[in-house]
Amino acid sequence: MDANGHERIVVSGGIDGEEAFKYQFIETALKQIGSWKSLDFLQGEFDKENDITWIVANWNYNDIDLRKYQISALDKGINLMVIDDKEELFDYINKDGRDEDLIEAMTFFAHGTAFDAPGVSDPGYGYAVALGYGGSGKHNNALNIFSLDLSKIKSSSFANSSSSVFYSCRTGNKFNNTIFAQEWANVTGSTTRAASGKGILSGRTDYTNIYENPLPLMDTLCPIFGKRSPRQKARYTFGYSSSGSLNYPEVNDGGKMKTFYPN
């Protein structure tokens, strides 16, 4: 438990293995962690080194990846938790003694999908923050969080002024008359920001430019001259920037980050 009695949690979803950059949910989580720690420093709060927990969904990451995440967590002075089932996440949110260690912020970097959309397997599940996403239809629903799962979360686990952010596709869109981000806000009492757009296909989160090159083709041209681009240098040791991405994901297809308030 941290000294000030509050905790912040960042969640990295698993991958389907077809992403252009394997560590997109890892690098952005490290950016969020760095932002929180920088804010603590600016505010002169030096007693909060133990109040950040990084939770990684163990889906299509290998043992070497998980060891690298542990090294990054140790370097940051934060807690790392690897989960194989969403119930582990819920149990941690609702853990014993949570009333003395309330959650003040949560951020999710993960896939999101509508399981009742045409062409998506497992119809009838509705929308999910897909910590166990499978691009070829092999989803891990033991990790995917659906709106109905949110009833397992205790609202008393969250501080009165808590906030949450979802960088997953269309989390703020309406599916079957339900908006996942709004349901999360209602259950947790958190002011919640999420990717949203008009229509079922709008509001996609795009991780392409989380660490863009300063010039086109630099990643390709630099090795020819025996150099590395800034992005290659940042990702050289672990395959991802241990300092975190430069940017947060964008919301494409005419969407934006929308704020939802508890009701």
Side-chain angles (χ1 to χ4, degrees):
M1 185 178 70
D2 63 287
N4 75 342
H6 282 174
E7 182 175 15
R8 292 163 290 183
I9 300 172
V10 59
V11 180
S12 294
I15 57 172
D16 66 2
E18 298 177 5
E19 292 84 357
F21 178 54
K22 176 181 180 180
Y23 300 110
Q24 59 184 11
F25 303 139
I26 301 301
E27 204 169 82
T28 46
L30 289 169
K31 176 176 175 60
Q32 177 66 89
I33 291 164
S35 296
W36 282 336
K37 292 178 78 70
S38 295
L39 182 61
D40 293 345
F41 181 81
L42 291 173
Q43 295 177 340
E45 296 179 335
F46 307 111
D47 60 345
K48 302 177 72 173
E49 68 269 13
N50 294 321
D51 82 337
I52 296 176
T53 297
W54 179 21
I55 297 177
V56 177
N58 188 17
W59 179 241
N60 291 325
Y61 297 122
N62 58 42
D63 290 342
I64 294 175
D65 291 329
L66 298 180
R67 285 196 290 272
K68 290 189 293 188
Y69 305 158
Q70 183 65 63
I71 292 171
S72 293
L74 289 170
D75 180 63
K76 297 288 185 184
I78 62 167
N79 311 305
L80 175 68
M81 179 179 178
V82 178
I83 62 171
D84 297 297
D85 193 295
K86 59 191 169 187
E87 300 298 332
E88 296 175 74
L89 173 62
F90 301 148
D91 288 345
Y92 186 73
I93 291 173
N94 300 329
K95 71 177 183 177
D96 291 341
R98 177 58 76 189
D99 58 333
E100 298 180 0
D101 200 24
L102 296 174
I103 298 168
E104 67 176 33
M106 284 193 74
T107 305
F108 288 77
F109 297 96
H111 284 295
T113 192
F115 280 70
D116 55 352
V120 180
S121 64
D122 301 320
Y125 280 104
Y127 185 86
V129 172
L131 303 185
Y133 182 80
S136 59
K138 297 180 180 179
H139 302 285
N140 183 353
N141 287 335
L143 279 168
N144 293 335
I145 303 173
F146 302 94
S147 296
L148 292 176
D149 292 319
L150 301 185
S151 62
K152 301 172 184 177
I153 295 175
K154 295 179 180 178
S155 59
S156 58
S157 296
F158 290 78
N160 290 334
S161 58
S162 65
S163 61
S164 298
V165 185
F166 289 91
Y167 288 104
S168 50
C169 291
R170 308 176 184 96
T171 323
N173 285 15
K174 182 180 287 188
F175 296 98
N176 291 335
N177 295 316
T178 299
I179 301 174
F180 185 97
Q182 184 64 67
E183 294 302 306
W184 176 274
N186 294 346
V187 169
T188 64
S190 294
T191 299
T192 302
R193 294 176 62 239
S196 178
K198 296 180 179 180
I200 191 172
L201 298 179
S202 181
R204 179 176 58 91
T205 48
D206 186 353
Y207 284 72
T208 303
N209 294 319
I210 59 173
Y211 206 127
E212 76 276 15
N213 276 322
L215 294 172
L217 302 179
M218 185 170 281
D219 274 354
T220 302
L221 295 177
C222 277
I224 296 175
F225 300 101
K227 297 181 179 180
R228 298 190 187 101
S229 70
R231 181 167 69 179
Q232 287 172 325
K233 289 178 180 178
R235 294 174 173 175
Y236 179 70
T237 302
F238 296 119
Y240 58 85
S241 170
S242 58
S243 298
S245 60
L246 290 181
N247 307 306
Y248 288 111
E250 303 167 339
V251 183
N252 284 351
D253 305 321
K256 63 180 182 179
M257 293 298 288
K258 181 178 178 180
T259 301
F260 297 86
Y261 299 95
N263 59 32

